Amino acid sequence: MKQLRPAVLTGIFAVAAVLSWAGARLWNAYGTLPGVPLAAPIVLAVIAVVLLATALSLRARLKAQRERRPGAKGVEPLMAARAVVFGQASALVAALVAGMYGGVGVFLLTEAMDVPARRDQAWYAAFSVLAGAAVIAAALFLEHVLKLPGDDDESPEAPAPA
């Protein structure tokens, strides 16, 4: 399994932000732009907390296992793989969603700050971007915790013939 690269996540965020900013301008020109839901930053924050709790729990279990503490619960490889996949999927979706709300937030900040309801939506968009960044950080931390000692993406695919 390949490790997530922050450059890919940044690219996803940037493309989503530009497209959603353009889409918000177009949508606002032809009708009423839909609002940014209050639940968006809350859901992203909950996902970030779940990822962080999972990472801290697995890190403690791995440390106890390495130190060979009596009664230490090991980490099953399938559970670790599922946690990494959950973290990677969450980071990719969070980059997309945070970019989307970032673009809408930039539009709201530059075009529609005279309406009080739009100001609130701009705050919700900003909090969504911050919560999305927290999801990405927690996912990268989880991936770091579960990285095997010999896992380097820089290593060659096949060993050189001797």
Side-chain angles (χ1 to χ4, degrees):
M1 177 174 283
K2 290 190 176 189
Q3 196 171 6
L4 278 178
R5 298 194 188 284
V8 171
L9 296 172
T10 304
I12 291 170
F13 175 85
V15 168
V18 169
L19 289 176
S20 70
W21 172 79
R25 285 183 54 100
L26 183 65
W27 197 321
N28 196 50
Y30 289 110
T32 304
L33 181 68
V36 177
L38 174 62
I42 295 170
V43 169
L44 288 170
V46 167
I47 292 171
V49 167
V50 167
L51 284 169
L52 184 62
T54 302
L56 293 174
S57 171
L58 290 174
R59 185 176 72 166
R61 287 172 64 179
L62 288 169
K63 182 179 178 186
Q65 188 178 5
R66 273 192 306 271
E67 293 173 354
R68 300 187 191 277
R69 291 185 195 155
K73 262 179 120 174
V75 177
E76 295 178 22
L78 188 57
M79 184 180 81
R82 286 179 180 160
V84 170
V85 168
F86 173 59
Q88 287 184 349
S90 298
L92 291 169
V93 170
L96 183 67
V97 170
M100 184 186 75
Y101 285 126
V104 170
V106 168
F107 169 76
L108 290 172
L109 287 174
T110 58
E111 302 288 329
M113 284 302 286
D114 53 339
V115 180
R118 295 291 179 130
R119 254 183 267 132
D120 291 342
Q121 290 179 2
W123 280 109
Y124 300 157
F127 289 138
S128 296
V129 171
L130 291 175
V135 169
I136 292 169
L140 291 174
F141 178 63
L142 175 63
E143 193 175 54
H144 172 73
V145 165
L146 293 175
K147 186 176 179 184
L148 294 174
D151 280 351
D152 287 331
D153 286 342
E154 305 303 320
S155 63
E157 295 294 324

